[in-house]
Amino acid sequence: MTLAQALFAPRAVALVGASGDAAKNSARPLRFLKKHGYAGRIVPINASRSQVLGERTFASLAEVPGAIDHAFIMTPGDSVERAIEECGARGVPVATIFSDGFADAGPEGAARQARLIARARELGVRVLGPNSMGLVDVPGRVALTVNAVLEMDALPAGTTSFVSHSGTMLGTVLSRGAARGLGFAKLVSVGNESDIGTGELVELLAEDPGTKVILLFLETVRDAARLAAAARKALAAGKPVVAYKLGRSRLGAALARSHTGALAGEDTALAAYFRDCGIMRVDQLETLIEIAPLLSGRTPPDLPRAARVAVVTTTGGGAASVVDRLGLCGIETVAPDSESPIIDLTMTATAGRYTAALEDLLASPQCDGVLAVVGSSAQFHPQLAVEPIVRSKRNAKPLAVFLTPHAERSLALLAGRGVAAFRTPEACADALAAYFAWRSPGRRAAAASAAWPPDLPRRGPLDEAQALKLLASLGIPVVEHAIAQPPGYAHAIPYPVAAKGLSAEVLHKTEAGAVCLGIADRPGLDREIRAMLERIPAARGILVQRMESGLAEAIVGYRDDPVVGPIVLVGAGGTLAEIYRDYALRVAPVSEEEAAVMIGEVKGFATLRGYRGLPRGDVRALAQAVAALSRLALVSGRPVAEAEINPLIVKREGVVAVDGLVVMKE
Amino acid sequence: MTLAQALFAPRAVALVGASGDAAKNSARPLRFLKKHGYAGRIVPINASRSQVLGERTFASLAEVPGAIDHAFIMTPGDSVERAIEECGARGVPVATIFSDGFADAGPEGAARQARLIARARELGVRVLGPNSMGLVDVPGRVALTVNAVLEMDALPAGTTSFVSHSGTMLGTVLSRGAARGLGFAKLVSVGNESDIGTGELVELLAEDPGTKVILLFLETVRDAARLAAAARKALAAGKPVVAYKLGRSRLGAALARSHTGALAGEDTALAAYFRDCGIMRVDQLETLIEIAPLLSGRTPPDLPRAARVAVVTTTGGGAASVVDRLGLCGIETVAPDSESPIIDLTMTATAGRYTAALEDLLASPQCDGVLAVVGSSAQFHPQLAVEPIVRSKRNAKPLAVFLTPHAERSLALLAGRGVAAFRTPEACADALAAYFAWRSPGRRAAAASAAWPPDLPRRGPLDEAQALKLLASLGIPVVEHAIAQPPGYAHAIPYPVAAKGLSAEVLHKTEAGAVCLGIADRPGLDREIRAMLERIPAARGILVQRMESGLAEAIVGYRDDPVVGPIVLVGAGGTLAEIYRDYALRVAPVSEEEAAVMIGEVKGFATLRGYRGLPRGDVRALAQAVAALSRLALVSGRPVAEAEINPLIVKREGVVAVDGLVVMKE
């Protein structure tokens, strides 16, 4: 029996703590399993009753005859541990734990959860939850959940599966889907993800013949590497993965030491992560519900330019409400062979004309996708309104439909024929934007690695001279510099110079008074060294650097993010990256080509690209430096927590790092 | 008979061009009027039939006995003009024109429309349209429209009225509203607005006892001054006005000559305009439909700080989907007397506990509004789910409800009790954000005016010396300067200086080679003057300016916008305003206090506010300069089309304008 079988197709389920009070949550799984036609054996476990809701109960799992494939545990407090022991003793391969009070309830609960899972591993019991609302296999008629949405009499079956951190969202997705004729395959509430997590479930769904599109509702990412691998596997199997992720408005600021850390807030790092593993991201909740038909059977378009969408409509205002938002997403509206960007049939629509216009657009090489908008007729004449659309040949190109009135029958007719239909202009534009932004997963050269300079420690703090040595070893041009030592602090760098107190303990050198720029001559340097040593008595020497200038400054950063792993960042220098959040971020390492794309995303680098006749900077050398720093991800053991060049000076020819910060792990 | 009566409560309507073919659009008004219980007299005008749909027809308006209050014209081509003549002859006070082919159809149509309206004015006939789908008064049972939404058997009546540039949207709003129990009062499709426009309709609705909230669907603004006055009138009558405006992604770039023009694209100028006249703006289409109960009876909160919203929920994920978006809008989530920002009753919800939590929040002085989220129970137990909410005392504070499942009965129950309920987390957050951003209309000192320097022309181009004189006359500090004249080009400005070729014909001086900065001495100046006169032979002299430096540069601009009238802009200097769209914009004139608020919105001015220990700039002097420039709006006759200071140099103490551009009208 595989994990997937035990989870989604158990021959017998035990309901531990099943209540006889039909009003209670813990009575629901029994009711729902029966109501929706579960074909296997249902075994309620309840020590204080001989039967619940007409089913014979057992006092404990130990007493149940025959094999149990899946236990659903609803008992409170310590009895969860007891139930897991019994699962182990009886050889139950999977337990779903609805009970809460574990990692969802502070550090003590987290410790309790860790103990529980350690024991479950010993016993060979796989665990979904705790704090999971359970799961549903709609075509398989397994409604093993406490989610009230199963009160619905019939659930439409489909080929879209759903994994969610929020149990409630199972109900949201199922009920809203049903109202517009969208069916589902498997739906799982992962709860605390103590054992079976989102990544492993996506792996199972990638192998599931009943699943064609995978939707995720994420509050966080707990198993980034596994989810990334699973998403790649799903894509390889022709199954798009789409995420709606909470937490866009919060920042992982507590984790930040360098600027890179502050900029790579949780959400921007996650956006880079999703992009890298080919997971589409949607902005609006209902997009997640409505997007599946748009994606089913499709692969990433990997468009090298702005997407072009053609529009046919029976209402100008309705089409404009979508087109306006597409424009905000950078998607162009085009009309092949016409002057207006929208083919508006408001006063002249017939089924024949609509069909002809639609067929023309779907066949045209001048657009990447088609938007069809239908007005009032969708409400009162659903068949007439959607017939031209469902008849159209729409394999080559995505087709999205927006209906302006309240028109559930039309939505259902379209859904039934596999056409993506949207209730709001915002979700419609969001879905098209997500599709066109969809990229194939980044390729990794598996054998690539980067060397660590043999004379640098692999643990403990590095001072700036060591940081510059590391940068140089990666192939990044660094400023001409020397370490001036007492008593004479001699050096051979031509004036003017910059001086910095060398100490691995001082992270923010400017604020600590450990930096002095533009020193004109030797007497000036002597004065600054004396002043600096008073402020930084522990300095092991003075780093003397040549003063450099160029056309612009950049910040280039690397970070081994605790959530998504190595990332690389490039942003406009000075205060621009911070004030305007003007930077681009990717999962590391990146190629020079990808680094060039990142540089193109940074608005402030307009000044390097010939803006207003300004001289052009060496964008290629900048891209090489970004790619070089990102190779820290390839050093064996990944000893670096964060590295930052701020600024990297960009010249007409070449770049030079004038300030390096490296923070090691530990 | 008032215009409002003739429009919305006609005692008799003539349907000019009423078809006998029930399938045609032009048969609809007759069907709809009868179906929805119109109590007045219906007179179809159709020369080729003696009756249509059971009603006796007349061959022309001239033959109809008795008074006609409103004619609905559906005939094609030139017959519209004939119908208007007949309206004039018969004394019909209002004609609604459904026919198209006027300003909606290019310059020829626009000319035809101008002739039609000129004639209608002579005849004393007011016109709605052309290209109008008509209007509906739901409580008054007047369904004078071709919009198919009237096929609905019953329309819920309410106190929200709607004015729309898109006729289709009447159907969108009515059908989507009906599906969630939201009723409407008056709905008007304004079409081309050749005569009766949005502004006049808002005036009528401000006086309408049946209207409490006014919604606008706008494709443009054709009568900005009248709409602004009407919105103020509506607000004074306690009626909030809300707009959904298309065209956010387009720029009025063709209108731009100065930077101010390029930055003040149509949409940012409109945003300033809406703010100034107290019109709320929503981002999502369904917000427009759902927001009315949140606003009914409310006045602008005029919050001086970020809004704080408290949340009670039976689903953590559902609440988070709204809270996440509120955060993106800058709205804080707070929980009085609790550690978590969300009161989550997921596992413990009872009607009693929910009511108690809700009452606490509604009574708490620590939040400005309350969000109540309900999960699955809203779908299956509507009464139980919404009872605690409708029972709550919610007069003092806005309450928004989001239901996570598909739950139309709960939505209708809430709507029926006047509670604002939202179908999507996005519309819910959008509505709260729009409400909290709502400001009372800007106050205008009616008697204020600004003098025009007597020695400056009021027409024709101004050169930079004249521009600086105008700026100085407004009270803005300008750079020390002199006009050096041939043959010797003598001046008394201390070196280093800047030199500019003086010509009112050259708008972009730098590009034309008419500017040279940092000239060190007299020989250098002589060289530059010779070179400059070769490039600009028409220069009337050389403007010599003292070189100035400061902490930062600002751009300050004024523009008499063709759509919304005078506006003022302040942005970060250099390339920042353009690259990052980092500027604030208001309707002019502004007070110094409002200018200070604008400066606070410009991110790049962080460097003037003590960012990272940098010295602070004279923000007050900057605000004075912005307010001063904005007073160009008070010059009688408003002769200035655009004025721009770029840059205004901001110092530790004071500011100084070093470059002035003034473009006159004509």
Side-chain angles (χ1 to χ4, degrees):
Chain A
M1 161 138 292
T2 65
L3 174 60
Q5 285 171 327
L7 270 172
F8 296 114
R11 292 159 304 181
V13 295
L15 303 174
V16 182
S19 173
D21 177 353
K24 287 200 165 172
N25 285 348
S26 48
R28 286 179 180 164
L30 177 50
R31 278 206 294 118
F32 293 160
L33 283 166
K34 291 169 77 172
K35 176 185 176 99
H36 293 285
Y38 175 57
R41 192 159 62 106
I42 309 174
V43 183
I45 310 290
N46 184 326
S48 55
R49 286 166 169 264
S50 62
Q51 68 159 41
V52 294
L53 308 175
E55 295 287 328
R56 181 193 161 189
T57 66
F58 293 84
S60 77
L61 269 170
E63 293 170 23
V64 180
I68 299 290
D69 291 339
H70 194 146
F72 192 82
I73 301 172
M74 299 171 276
T75 51
D78 294 343
S79 52
V80 175
E81 282 81 351
R82 207 159 51 237
I84 291 292
E85 290 292 342
E86 290 183 9
C87 285
R90 279 298 312 268
V92 178
V94 170
T96 292
I97 304 176
F98 169 59
S99 319
D100 59 356
F102 291 87
D104 49 286
E108 251 175 73
R112 185 182 164 207
Q113 177 173 306
R115 289 191 303 271
L116 181 78
I117 294 310
R119 182 62 185 144
R121 293 231 163 88
E122 288 171 6
L123 294 166
V125 180
R126 299 300 309 274
V127 171
L128 181 68
N131 199 23
S132 158
M133 281 211 185
L135 55 84
V136 183
D137 182 337
V138 180
R141 300 185 165 275
V142 178
L144 190 58
T145 179
V146 298
N147 191 301
V149 75
L150 278 294
E151 301 283 2
M152 286 171 73
D153 285 332
L155 302 172
T159 54
T160 304
S161 289
F162 181 53
V163 180
S164 179
H165 281 136
S166 161
T168 302
M169 285 297 145
L170 265 56
T172 304
V173 161
L174 274 171
S175 71
R176 293 184 180 227
R180 61 199 80 181
L182 289 169
F184 285 87
K186 298 178 169 63
L187 303 99
V188 187
S189 160
V190 294
N192 298 354
E193 295 185 282
S194 66
D195 175 22
I196 301 171
T198 305
E200 187 167 7
L201 286 163
V202 172
E203 278 168 29
L204 297 181
L205 294 172
E207 293 166 1
D208 173 30
T211 294
K212 288 188 180 166
V213 176
I214 301 167
L215 310 180
L216 309 175
F217 180 99
L218 302 177
E219 290 171 354
T220 181
V221 173
R222 293 197 183 93
D223 52 351
R226 188 158 193 180
L227 176 57
R232 285 161 187 261
K233 179 175 172 176
L235 249 71
K239 302 181 183 184
V241 184
V242 189
Y244 172 95
K245 164 78 179 58
L246 289 174
R248 283 162 296 188
S249 57
R250 269 170 291 151
L251 269 177
L255 298 167
R257 282 190 289 188
S258 65
H259 282 109
T260 303
L263 297 174
E266 194 186 303
D267 197 66
T268 43
L270 276 169
Y273 164 80
F274 287 139
R275 177 190 170 107
D276 185 63
C277 54
I279 295 178
M280 257 168 289
R281 189 172 184 185
V282 295
D283 175 55
Q284 310 237 332
L285 183 59
E286 285 202 331
T287 313
L288 191 64
I289 298 167
E290 296 174 329
I291 198 174
L294 193 74
L295 305 177
S296 191
R298 294 199 185 277
T299 52
D302 289 323
L303 279 185
R305 47 159 176 77
R308 300 161 310 180
V309 169
V311 186
V312 58
T313 183
T314 63
T315 152
S321 66
V322 183
V323 166
D324 202 27
R325 290 195 87 86
L326 287 175
L328 292 174
C329 303
I331 295 175
E332 294 169 12
T333 308
V334 296
D337 322 314
S338 163
E339 282 181 18
S340 158
I342 294 175
I343 299 178
D344 189 345
L345 305 174
T346 304
M347 294 297 172
T348 57
T350 62
R353 294 185 67 153
Y354 202 98
T355 305
L358 193 54
E359 295 288 349
D360 277 356
L361 298 181
L362 287 166
S364 166
Q366 287 172 282
C367 65
D368 308 303
V370 177
L371 166 67
V373 180
V374 185
S376 307
S377 58
Q379 186 177 9
F380 302 104
H381 310 288
Q383 286 289 0
L384 285 176
V386 305
E387 198 52 33
I389 296 173
V390 297
R391 274 212 319 261
S392 64
K393 299 174 196 69
R394 60 203 140 71
N395 295 328
K397 210 175 274 183
L399 168 66
V401 180
F402 169 55
L403 309 177
T404 63
H406 181 77
E408 293 192 339
R409 278 188 300 154
S410 285
L411 289 171
L413 282 170
L414 290 165
R417 306 282 280 271
V419 180
F422 297 87
R423 257 190 28 87
T424 65
E426 294 83 13
C428 186
D430 184 26
L432 285 168
Y435 168 75
F436 287 119
W438 189 20
R439 294 279 173 278
S440 294
R443 264 171 268 156
R444 295 275 172 274
S449 70
W452 186 257
D455 50 346
L456 281 190
R458 291 177 69 97
R459 298 176 62 105
L462 300 188
D463 65 27
E464 187 169 353
Q466 293 170 312
L468 291 177
K469 180 173 286 183
L470 177 61
L471 296 178
S473 80
L474 294 165
I476 298 167
V478 302
V479 63
E480 185 182 350
H481 64 282
I483 301 175
Q485 303 277 11
Y489 292 100
H491 70 88
I493 310 294
Y495 288 88
V497 298
K500 300 176 179 175
L502 263 187
S503 167
E505 309 306 321
V506 178
L507 279 181
H508 297 291
K509 290 188 290 287
T510 305
E511 287 79 349
V515 178
C516 182
L517 302 179
I519 301 167
D521 51 21
R522 182 76 227 184
L525 179 62
D526 288 337
R527 272 197 307 279
E528 288 301 335
I529 289 175
R530 276 195 302 276
M532 210 173 273
L533 290 176
E534 276 179 28
R535 291 188 294 262
I536 324 276
R540 76 164 169 111
I542 298 293
L543 184 69
V544 178
Q545 297 181 179
R546 185 184 195 120
M547 284 301 294
E548 291 276 3
S549 66
L551 299 177
E553 297 187 351
I555 172 174
V556 185
Y558 165 88
R559 175 177 159 87
D560 202 337
D561 187 83
V563 177
V564 306
I567 52 177
V568 63
L569 170 151
V570 60
T575 56
L576 299 180
E578 189 169 327
I579 289 183
Y580 295 111
R581 304 189 67 73
D582 186 22
Y583 54 86
L585 201 147
R586 291 287 190 284
V587 168
V590 294
S591 65
E592 191 186 319
E593 291 69 33
E594 187 67 17
V597 175
M598 294 172 70
I599 291 162
E601 293 171 9
V602 177
K603 293 178 187 165
F605 290 149
T607 57
L608 296 176
R609 292 186 285 256
Y611 176 82
R612 285 202 196 166
L614 292 173
R616 287 169 189 274
D618 194 339
V619 177
R620 180 147 180 251
L622 175 56
Q624 287 166 341
V626 172
L629 190 68
S630 80
R631 285 196 288 272
L632 284 175
L634 300 175
V635 175
S636 80
R638 297 209 314 246
V640 174
E642 294 181 49
E644 183 174 286
I645 310 169
N646 187 13
L648 180 81
I649 291 182
V650 184
K651 309 183 174 200
R652 280 177 196 248
E653 288 193 14
V655 297
V656 59
V658 300
D659 193 286
L661 167 71
V662 173
V663 179
M664 307 292 284
K665 290 181 184 171
E666 301 288 275
Chain B
M1 161 139 290
T2 65
L3 174 60
Q5 285 169 330
L7 270 173
F8 296 114
R11 292 160 304 180
V13 295
L15 304 174
V16 181
S19 173
D21 177 352
K24 286 201 166 173
N25 285 349
S26 47
R28 286 178 181 165
L30 176 53
R31 279 206 294 121
F32 293 161
L33 284 166
K34 291 169 77 172
K35 175 183 176 101
H36 293 285
Y38 175 59
R41 193 160 62 103
I42 308 175
V43 183
I45 309 291
N46 185 326
S48 56
R49 286 165 170 266
S50 62
Q51 67 159 42
V52 295
L53 307 175
E55 296 286 326
R56 182 194 159 188
T57 65
F58 293 84
S60 77
L61 270 170
E63 294 171 22
V64 181
I68 300 289
D69 292 340
H70 194 146
F72 192 83
I73 301 171
M74 298 171 277
T75 51
D78 294 342
S79 52
V80 175
E81 282 81 351
R82 206 160 51 237
I84 291 291
E85 292 291 342
E86 290 184 9
C87 286
R90 281 298 313 266
V92 178
V94 170
T96 293
I97 304 176
F98 168 59
S99 319
D100 58 357
F102 291 88
D104 48 285
E108 252 176 69
R112 184 181 167 208
Q113 176 172 308
R115 290 192 301 272
L116 180 78
I117 293 310
R119 181 63 185 145
R121 291 232 163 88
E122 289 171 4
L123 295 165
V125 180
R126 299 299 310 275
V127 172
L128 182 68
N131 200 21
S132 159
M133 280 211 187
L135 53 84
V136 184
D137 182 338
V138 180
R141 299 186 167 275
V142 178
L144 189 57
T145 180
V146 297
N147 191 300
V149 75
L150 278 294
E151 302 283 2
M152 286 171 72
D153 284 333
L155 302 172
T159 55
T160 303
S161 289
F162 180 53
V163 180
S164 179
H165 280 137
S166 160
T168 302
M169 285 297 146
L170 265 57
T172 304
V173 160
L174 273 170
S175 71
R176 292 184 181 227
R180 62 201 79 182
L182 289 169
F184 285 86
K186 297 177 170 64
L187 303 99
V188 187
S189 161
V190 295
N192 297 355
E193 295 186 282
S194 66
D195 175 22
I196 300 172
T198 305
E200 186 167 9
L201 286 163
V202 172
E203 278 168 29
L204 297 181
L205 295 172
E207 293 166 0
D208 173 30
T211 294
K212 288 188 179 166
V213 176
I214 300 167
L215 310 180
L216 309 176
F217 180 98
L218 302 177
E219 289 172 355
T220 182
V221 172
R222 293 198 183 92
D223 53 351
R226 188 158 192 178
L227 176 58
R232 285 161 187 260
K233 179 176 173 178
L235 251 71
K239 302 181 184 184
V241 184
V242 189
Y244 172 96
K245 164 78 179 63
L246 288 173
R248 283 162 296 189
S249 57
R250 268 171 292 150
L251 268 176
L255 298 166
R257 282 189 291 188
S258 66
H259 282 109
T260 303
L263 296 174
E266 193 186 303
D267 196 66
T268 43
L270 276 168
Y273 164 80
F274 288 138
R275 177 190 172 109
D276 184 63
C277 55
I279 295 178
M280 258 167 289
R281 188 173 185 183
V282 295
D283 175 55
Q284 310 237 330
L285 183 60
E286 286 203 331
T287 313
L288 192 64
I289 298 167
E290 296 175 327
I291 199 175
L294 193 75
L295 304 176
S296 190
R298 296 200 184 277
T299 53
D302 288 323
L303 280 184
R305 47 159 176 77
R308 300 162 310 179
V309 169
V311 185
V312 58
T313 184
T314 64
T315 152
S321 66
V322 183
V323 165
D324 201 29
R325 289 194 88 84
L326 287 175
L328 292 174
C329 303
I331 295 176
E332 294 169 12
T333 309
V334 297
D337 323 314
S338 163
E339 283 181 17
S340 160
I342 293 176
I343 299 178
D344 188 344
L345 305 175
T346 303
M347 294 297 171
T348 58
T350 62
R353 293 184 68 154
Y354 202 97
T355 304
L358 193 53
E359 294 289 349
D360 278 356
L361 298 181
L362 287 166
S364 165
Q366 287 171 282
C367 65
D368 307 305
V370 177
L371 166 67
V373 180
V374 185
S376 307
S377 58
Q379 186 176 9
F380 302 104
H381 310 288
Q383 285 289 359
L384 284 175
V386 306
E387 197 51 33
I389 297 172
V390 297
R391 274 212 319 263
S392 65
K393 298 172 197 70
R394 61 202 140 72
N395 295 327
K397 209 175 275 183
L399 168 66
V401 180
F402 169 54
L403 309 177
T404 61
H406 182 76
E408 294 193 338
R409 280 187 298 155
S410 285
L411 289 171
L413 282 169
L414 290 164
R417 306 282 280 270
V419 180
F422 297 87
R423 256 188 30 86
T424 65
E426 294 82 14
C428 185
D430 184 28
L432 285 167
Y435 169 76
F436 287 118
W438 189 20
R439 295 279 173 278
S440 294
R443 263 171 269 156
R444 296 274 172 277
S449 71
W452 188 256
D455 50 348
L456 282 190
R458 291 178 68 99
R459 298 177 61 105
L462 299 188
D463 66 26
E464 186 168 357
Q466 293 170 312
L468 291 175
K469 181 174 284 182
L470 177 60
L471 297 176
S473 80
L474 294 165
I476 298 167
V478 303
V479 62
E480 187 182 347
H481 64 280
I483 301 177
Q485 304 277 11
Y489 293 98
H491 68 88
I493 309 294
Y495 288 87
V497 298
K500 299 176 179 174
L502 265 186
S503 167
E505 309 307 319
V506 178
L507 279 180
H508 297 290
K509 292 188 289 287
T510 304
E511 288 78 350
V515 178
C516 182
L517 302 179
I519 301 169
D521 50 23
R522 183 73 228 185
L525 180 61
D526 289 336
R527 270 195 308 277
E528 289 302 334
I529 288 175
R530 276 194 300 276
M532 210 173 272
L533 290 175
E534 276 178 30
R535 291 187 295 260
I536 325 277
R540 74 163 171 114
I542 298 293
L543 184 69
V544 178
Q545 298 182 177
R546 185 185 195 122
M547 285 300 296
E548 292 276 3
S549 66
L551 300 176
E553 297 188 350
I555 173 175
V556 184
Y558 165 88
R559 174 177 160 88
D560 202 337
D561 186 85
V563 177
V564 305
I567 51 176
V568 63
L569 169 151
V570 61
T575 56
L576 299 179
E578 189 170 325
I579 290 183
Y580 295 112
R581 303 189 67 73
D582 186 22
Y583 55 86
L585 201 147
R586 293 286 191 283
V587 168
V590 295
S591 65
E592 191 186 319
E593 292 68 35
E594 187 66 18
V597 174
M598 292 170 71
I599 291 162
E601 293 171 8
V602 177
K603 292 177 187 165
F605 291 148
T607 57
L608 297 175
R609 293 186 285 256
Y611 175 81
R612 285 202 197 166
L614 291 172
R616 286 169 190 274
D618 195 340
V619 178
R620 183 151 175 248
L622 176 57
Q624 286 166 343
V626 173
L629 190 69
S630 79
R631 285 195 289 272
L632 284 174
L634 300 175
V635 175
S636 82
R638 297 210 312 247
V640 174
E642 295 181 49
E644 182 174 284
I645 311 170
N646 186 15
L648 181 81
I649 290 182
V650 184
K651 310 181 173 200
R652 279 176 198 249
E653 289 193 14
V655 296
V656 61
V658 299
D659 194 287
L661 167 72
V662 174
V663 179
M664 306 293 284
K665 289 181 183 169
E666 300 291 273

